[in-house]
Amino acid sequence: MVLLERIELSYITSELLSVNPPGVKEGMCQSDTMLGASPRHRGRWTRWSLLYRNLLLFGALVAGNTLYLSMTRLIGDMGAAGADMGISAFYQVMLLAHTALGSVATLLALFFAVAHLPKGWLLRRKVVLASGFCLVGLASALAGTGFFIVKEAQRTDHRWIFWAHVGAALLLPASFLLHRLRSVVPISKGILVRGLLVLAVVLTATISLDFGIRALRPGDFFVSDGHVPPESPFFPSPATTAKGGLVSSEIITLGEPHEEVKLRQDLDSIGFGFREKIGAALCERCHPDTVEQWAISAHRFASFNNPFYEATVKQLRKRAGESVSQWCAGCHDPALLFSGKMAKPVDRETAEAQAGLTCMACHAIDKIHDRTGNGNYNLATDTPSPYLFADAGNGIRQLLHDSLLKSRPAAHKQRLLKPFFREPEYCATCHKVSLDFPINRYRWLRGQNEYDNWHDSGVSRNAARTFYLPQSRQICQDCHMPLEPAPLGDLSAKGGQIRSHRFLAVNTALPFIRNDGSSIRRIEEFLQGRVSLKVFAMRPYGESVPATLALGEESAVLEPGREIVFDVVVRNRGVGHTFPGGTIDSNQAWIEFQVLDGDGQILAKSGTVDPSGDLDPAAHVYGALFVDKKGEPVLHRNSQDFHAPVYLHVIAPGTADIASYRVRIPELGAKQIRLVARLLWRKFHRPFTRFAFANSPAFAGLRGQEPPMLPVTEIARHEVTLEVSAEKLESVGPLSRDRRGNSGNLVPGTASATGQARNWTGFNDYGIGLLLRGEFAGADRAFELVSRLAPDRADGFRNRA
């Protein structure tokens, strides 16, 4: 029986596996076996052998690839702050190879299983059959979960799919070894050795290639979705250089011989560099108007030549570490960042620290990694000037260089004026900010974000829900870089005009501390008309009486002693993003509302600034307030302490806000009252100004004095005069009456309402403010008036719907 069983097993084995066919003597090699085998057995053995060997080969390749990917991921998880390891180009190639190799291995396994399992069933070995079915199931699970991950990504809600994939990958080799060790013909040691050898070669080769490439090009990684690899020399800034590592600061400062005498005089007199235009001397030869405008811009005063920024970044470096401040440096201190000096003690009196954003800080950018901001760009460091004598100083060589460039400027323009410079995404590189674990040791938080606010508005013509749709799409450059005359003969001028490099916005603090009254006036002019304000409605407090609208356009009488609520409407008319924008935790916009009698005496007030410079805490403000982990207000721009916003009060483009003020009408003396509302702006609130004054070396010479009182800019103003008289109201008793005896609201269809047709926007703005405030009945009433005052427009009907 034992002999017959062996003969039977030998026959079955020869039929199923084409291994040891009948007639094979013990100790014969496979080649000897095939010499004596029939052609049918030789062909079957060759096909099975080829399929089986390819299956083992691809299995070993997938295993080696998997080990590489796992080790890379593990190294990343063990890195700083638990951040993922940089996703290098090689890593991504191996990730794609993992999918391809796995797909081929799965197909080979399925082909093998379809032909092998039906006949293998005849062996009746429970462990072999169970492990075989387990192999088929695990291979199917790997394929299914793998393709699901590729299609749906590793989202949090599908995390179990990833771990199922990992678990199947760990169980499959164990099942395979069990299956072969318990089979009729156990796996040979030679196959095991060769398989392990292939695995070791694949793993060694992939790791060696990856780290070899990283060593040759340490910056060869992708910065994707705002995630910065900790091995970046600029971490946590997502900025990169074409060379991959540190470069000379001369790329930003152009290697110019700075006039140390002027720089020293500025540092001694006003505390920061001003007269020496670091990094602009070469550019000024052909672009004098551009440089002249840039020289007084906020971009130029972005680094340690900005006392307010300097105080903040010093605090960050002291409390969170010098290298953490590289997060700021991509947008504020590129000359320090890319030379590696930001991660060390900074000498604020060097040219790099006083350079700010030079010409090349912007024009050397050749790539934007994505739209996550935070300085997510690449600096071109390997594109030398194509012109001869590019490194020439003064003299004939400089003359020859400039002549060549002027004769053929196309290459210069192509090198320094990329197409995306004209797109809003370029501005988003720095004007979109987020905080993450490396900064606040907490979690991701949104910071300044002008780009998304613009993108999700009618200004970009992307948002269908906007209340006012502009005639044409507008981008950042339309407002902040308008055409401006170039009287100095700038070679880039077209029709005598260039795109302004003043980058006008709202920063009145910087020109104020350097006594630049001209820039302050330009900023104030720039702000006019961007936001409107109007004392528009009034209603009795605590009574369900319809509001009287369009104050100042119709006469109204107030009853002495009565409490009245006045509504002031503020509308964002011309700001392409939310108002206010920028660093709204320290910027300060508010409404000042005063009630005066006929002699100009103040009867009531809100939103005034006291003699020490502090704003009325009950003022209606626009901005944001963050608190730290203890719930204390964050008032010093110490972003590392931001944990949660208490409020975020801004006005989106084309929308409106309402501020309500309750006033008791005086009973004696006043025959009329005057309501004065102003929308005011101050670049920094008083607590931050005090902090900067106390912590910036630029103010060291002023210690012992009061911190400077930053200018307050009036953006909009509206006055309304109302009559106060009990006699005129004795017979009717309502809140107020217009000239025609109609109490309450304007009545559409009358001569009065017809005269208001051209001012339908006031009623629409009021309705928008009520709608956003959740007062739907009042909003419906206001929009109904709009539809009657402007029946040829869709606004009233659409907004009411």
Side-chain angles (χ1 to χ4, degrees), residues 351-413:
E352 292 91 344
Q354 296 292 319
L357 294 179
T358 67
C359 305
M360 293 304 291
C362 292
H363 285 275
I365 295 175
D366 66 348
K367 180 182 177 181
I368 300 172
H369 295 306
D370 56 34
R371 299 184 182 184
T372 55
N374 288 347
N376 205 337
Y377 61 83
N378 183 74
L379 192 75
T381 56
D382 54 358
T383 54
S385 173
Y387 296 97
L388 295 175
F389 315 117
D391 57 348
N394 296 323
I396 186 65
R397 285 161 54 87
Q398 174 185 305
L399 179 63
L400 292 173
H401 169 268
D402 291 355
S403 298
L404 288 169
L405 193 153
K406 294 175 183 178
S407 299
R408 189 70 176 174
H412 176 71
K413 182 178 179 180

Side-chain angles (χ1 to χ4, degrees), residues 431-432 448-455 576-578 580-583:
H431 291 275
K432 179 176 180 179
Q448 172 185 352
N449 188 2
E450 267 61 71
Y451 174 78
D452 286 355
N453 292 331
W454 163 85
H455 196 276
H577 43 78
T578 57
T583 54

Side-chain angles (χ1 to χ4, degrees), residues 679-754:
L679 179 63
L680 301 176
W681 167 264
R682 182 164 58 178
K683 173 55 185 170
F684 296 122
H685 55 58
R686 194 62 176 161
F688 179 70
T689 303
R690 291 193 180 101
F691 164 77
F693 184 78
N695 290 275
S696 175
F699 296 124
L702 302 177
R703 297 288 190 267
Q705 303 180 25
E706 282 295 314
M709 299 285 284
L710 298 182
V712 174
T713 300
E714 181 182 288
I715 298 177
R717 178 190 183 99
H718 187 232
E719 296 186 19
V720 171
T721 300
L722 300 174
E723 188 175 358
V724 179
S725 175
E727 294 77 7
K728 292 187 177 181
L729 294 171
E730 287 179 355
S731 59
V732 291
L735 166 69
S736 62
R737 300 179 65 184
D738 65 15
R739 286 192 294 261
R740 292 156 192 80
N742 296 312
S743 63
N745 224 331
L746 291 173
V747 181
T750 65
S752 174
T754 303

Side-chain angles (χ1 to χ4, degrees), residues 741-770:
N742 296 312
S743 63
N745 224 331
L746 291 173
V747 181
T750 65
S752 174
T754 303
Q756 297 296 331
R758 64 181 181 276
N759 296 325
W760 63 270
T761 55
F763 297 90
N764 198 47
D765 294 343
Y766 186 61
I768 293 169
L770 292 175

Side-chain angles (χ1 to χ4, degrees), residues 50-130:
L50 182 61
L51 177 60
Y52 184 62
R53 288 171 182 270
N54 284 333
L55 178 57
L56 290 179
L57 174 62
F58 275 93
L61 290 174
V62 173
N65 172 274
T66 301
L67 285 175
Y68 160 78
L69 295 176
S70 302
M71 289 181 64
T72 306
R73 184 186 183 95
L74 181 62
I75 293 172
D77 289 342
M78 294 172 61
D84 290 336
M85 190 176 182
I87 305 177
S88 67
F90 183 80
Y91 179 90
Q92 294 185 72
V93 170
M94 293 301 294
L95 198 58
L96 294 174
H98 181 77
T99 304
L101 292 172
S103 300
V104 174
T106 302
L107 289 175
L108 291 175
L110 290 176
F111 282 132
F112 188 86
V114 168
H116 176 59
L117 284 177
K119 297 179 181 180
W121 182 264
L122 298 175
L123 296 175
R124 303 295 182 181
R125 296 198 173 202
K126 294 181 179 180
V127 174
V128 175
L129 288 173

Side-chain angles (χ1 to χ4, degrees), residues 160-467:
W160 67 272
I161 297 288
F162 170 77
W163 287 114
H165 188 76
V166 172
L170 294 173
L171 291 173
L172 190 139
S175 298
F176 173 77
L177 289 175
L178 177 63
H179 182 75
R180 287 309 317 273
L181 290 174
R182 298 297 297 272
S183 64
V184 175
V185 183
I187 189 170
S188 67
K189 293 182 180 179
I191 292 178
L192 276 176
V193 170
R194 287 193 294 272
L196 291 175
L197 183 61
V198 171
L199 180 63
V201 169
V202 171
L203 182 59
T204 303
T206 51
I207 292 177
S208 300
L209 279 172
D210 188 6
F211 284 92
I213 292 173
R214 289 173 188 269
L216 293 174
R217 298 189 63 187
D220 182 23
F221 49 78
F222 288 99
V223 178
S224 178
D225 298 330
H227 297 295
V228 185
E231 68 268 22
S232 166
F234 313 118
F235 180 85
S237 170
T240 60
T241 63
K243 289 185 177 180
L246 302 177
V247 296
S248 171
S249 61
E250 292 182 356
I251 291 177
I252 303 297
T253 62
L254 293 178
E256 299 169 3
H258 307 297
E259 297 185 30
E260 299 295 339
V261 175
K262 285 186 178 180
L263 185 58
R264 170 51 56 190
Q265 289 176 349
D266 288 342
L267 290 169
D268 291 341
S269 59
I270 62 175
F272 55 89
F274 172 56
R275 287 181 294 176
E276 178 62 22
K277 303 170 186 176
I278 300 171
L282 294 178
C283 308
E284 194 170 18
R285 299 206 304 257
C286 294
H287 303 288
D289 291 282
T290 300
V291 170
E292 188 74 14
Q293 296 165 4
W294 161 85
I296 55 176
S297 70
H299 280 189
R300 183 200 174 183
F301 298 96
S303 186
F304 285 74
N305 55 354
N306 178 338
F308 300 98
Y309 168 75
E310 182 180 21
T312 298
V313 79
K314 277 183 57 182
Q315 175 185 241
L316 174 65
R317 290 165 63 84
K318 180 179 180 180
R319 294 176 54 185
E322 292 171 339
S323 62
V324 174
S325 67
Q326 293 192 132
W327 171 72
C328 312
C331 293
H332 283 272
D333 320 272
L336 294 171
L337 173 70
F338 294 119
S339 61
K341 296 179 180 179
M342 196 67 180
K344 306 173 183 177
V346 173
D347 181 359
R348 69 178 304 273
E349 297 184 354
T350 61
E352 292 91 344
Q354 296 292 319
L357 294 179
T358 67
C359 305
M360 293 304 291
C362 292
H363 285 275
I365 295 175
D366 66 348
K367 180 182 177 181
I368 300 172
H369 295 306
D370 56 34
R371 299 184 182 184
T372 55
N374 288 347
N376 205 337
Y377 61 83
N378 183 74
L379 192 75
T381 56
D382 54 358
T383 54
S385 173
Y387 296 97
L388 295 175
F389 315 117
D391 57 348
N394 296 323
I396 186 65
R397 285 161 54 87
Q398 174 185 305
L399 179 63
L400 292 173
H401 169 268
D402 291 355
S403 298
L404 288 169
L405 193 153
K406 294 175 183 178
S407 299
R408 189 70 176 174
H412 176 71
K413 182 178 179 180
Q414 183 179 15
R415 177 171 167 258
L416 297 180
L417 187 61
K418 304 299 182 184
F420 58 79
F421 285 11
R422 298 184 175 92
E423 299 299 327
E425 287 73 20
Y426 181 54
C427 305
T429 304
C430 283
H431 291 275
K432 179 176 180 179
V433 180
S434 61
L435 304 171
D436 212 338
F437 186 85
I439 311 302
N440 57 22
R441 314 305 292 179
Y442 177 43
R443 65 176 178 87
W444 185 94
L445 289 171
R446 167 58 66 207
Q448 172 185 352
N449 188 2
E450 267 61 71
Y451 174 78
D452 286 355
N453 292 331
W454 163 85
H455 196 276
D456 189 31
S457 74
V459 181
S460 64
R461 296 183 72 86
N462 289 330
R465 63 185 176 278
T466 185
F467 290 100

